[in-house]
Amino acid sequence: MRAQFFGQATERMLDLAKLHVGSQVLDVGAGTGDQTLAAARRVGPTGSVVAIDVSASMLEMTAMSAREAGLSNVATRVMDAQRLDLASESFDAAISRFALMLIPDVDRALGAIRRVLRPGGTFAALVFSTAEADPFLSIPHTVARRVGRLTSPPEPFGEFRLGAPGVLCDGFKKAGFRDVAVHVFATRRRFPSLADAIWYAKETPMPLRELLVQLDRGQQDEAWAQIERAYQQFVGHDGFESPSELLIGVGTK
Ligand SMILES: C[S@@+](CC[C@H](N)C(=O)[O-])C[C@H]1O[C@@H](n2cnc3c(N)ncnc32)[C@H](O)[C@@H]1O
């Protein structure tokens, strides 16, 4: 499902990171490694991808997928992006998909990523845009908070933290990257049916699950019923379809 929604945006991120045959690449917050494998295919057997994540179980899935795909140029390391235990100037490029906005100290992570890049190396990071631009993600948040009567956090929800105009660009610049640019990527979230959309919303590894944990069983049922009703507006003849906007931040060391 992720590959289907985000395949084109992922390829664009790899283009912008200037991956080529033989590149040594760092993948930050690799998760289950969809983009890791795409990068590994691009750089070929003479290149390599080091996938880092705080979740060992996610990285196990990445390693397994790489093995199944016959890719021997993928390494996984359990590591916090804020404290990269990697040699300075050891990568030609870095990528990150849907992870940067979830890292508590983004500035520190950006500084660490820049440190491990060789001079001239490029970092490209794909993140979500604003809540308004992605109702599939923002509706469950709004509903869960309303039903659970949760008080507002001091800053916007993780997903949209870097989505406001200027935030991603400023972060890259503050970390010392040059030639910084932010590319807007408009896409659509499509599911065969409303039931599939709800299933994916429940399964998606986004912090929504943490938010729902704060609701009791009855509130959770009520929240999902309200989410389903709100999602109805995106159901048409061809199933569920909602707009989504992504940002790709790019900077060079
Ligand atoms: C939404 S998932 C995205 C995973 C994958 N890149 C993808 O697009 O399918 C975010 C990932 O960031 C990881 N993550 C969160 N904080 C992190 C940190 N401080 N350092 C490294 N990884 C982190 C999470 O464990 C999770 O795997």
Side-chain angles (χ1 to χ4, degrees):
M1 203 79 91
R2 303 206 111 204
Q4 181 194 324
F5 288 146
F6 304 124
Q8 282 184 351
T10 303
E11 293 300 321
R12 182 96 177 99
M13 174 182 72
L14 302 183
D15 291 342
L16 290 166
K18 302 193 182 87
L19 263 56
H20 53 78
V21 171
S23 294
Q24 289 174 311
V25 183
L26 173 67
D27 183 4
V28 178
T32 52
D34 184 44
Q35 73 293 314
T36 312
L37 270 58
R41 288 195 182 95
R42 276 216 193 189
V43 302
T46 55
S48 64
V49 184
V50 175
I52 71 121
D53 201 291
V54 285
S55 165
S57 58
M58 294 241 199
L59 288 181
E60 272 167 31
M61 290 171 79
T62 299
M64 195 177 70
S65 302
R67 275 196 304 277
E68 283 173 3
L71 292 164
S72 56
N73 58 349
V74 172
T76 58
R77 302 264 312 264
V78 178
M79 205 180 287
D80 190 327
Q82 298 159 113
R83 288 173 286 277
L84 289 179
D85 183 18
L86 297 164
S88 296
E89 305 192 354
S90 53
F91 292 93
D92 301 308
I95 56 169
S96 180
R97 193 181 80 170
F98 305 136
L100 216 51
M101 66 279 177
L102 304 177
I103 297 171
D105 192 341
V106 183
D107 291 345
R108 191 167 171 191
L110 283 167
I113 294 163
R114 186 179 175 278
R115 177 183 65 76
V116 302
L117 281 174
R118 297 197 176 99
T122 302
F123 176 44
L126 186 57
V127 299
F128 295 112
S129 175
T130 57
E132 297 71 37
D134 203 332
F136 175 82
L137 279 187
S138 57
I139 284 173
H141 273 294
T142 309
V143 170
R145 300 192 64 76
R146 188 175 60 225
V147 172
R149 294 195 189 87
L150 305 174
T151 51
S152 292
E155 56 181 348
F157 307 119
E159 281 98 324
F160 309 114
R161 194 162 140 226
L162 302 176
V167 177
L168 190 57
C169 186
D170 288 352
F172 270 66
K173 284 183 179 165
K174 212 157 51 163
F177 285 101
R178 61 179 169 82
D179 301 333
V180 176
V182 174
H183 301 258
V184 177
F185 193 97
T187 182
R188 313 284 296 175
R189 290 178 181 267
R190 291 193 181 91
F191 297 94
S193 67
L194 177 60
D196 291 302
I198 291 287
W199 176 85
Y200 187 77
K202 285 182 175 173
E203 288 303 308
T204 191
M206 284 284 144
L208 173 63
R209 273 197 296 213
E210 287 165 34
L211 202 62
L212 283 168
V213 161
Q214 299 177 52
L215 274 56
D216 65 32
R217 190 63 224 206
Q219 289 174 322
Q220 284 194 22
D221 291 346
E222 174 57 25
W224 283 116
Q226 287 193 24
I227 291 164
E228 196 164 333
R229 281 201 292 279
Y231 273 3
Q232 286 282 0
Q233 63 185 300
F234 303 113
V235 179
H237 291 302
D238 297 327
F240 181 100
E241 183 177 330
S242 68
S244 170
E245 189 177 271
L246 308 171
L247 303 178
I248 309 177
V250 189
T252 302
K253 179 166 177 178

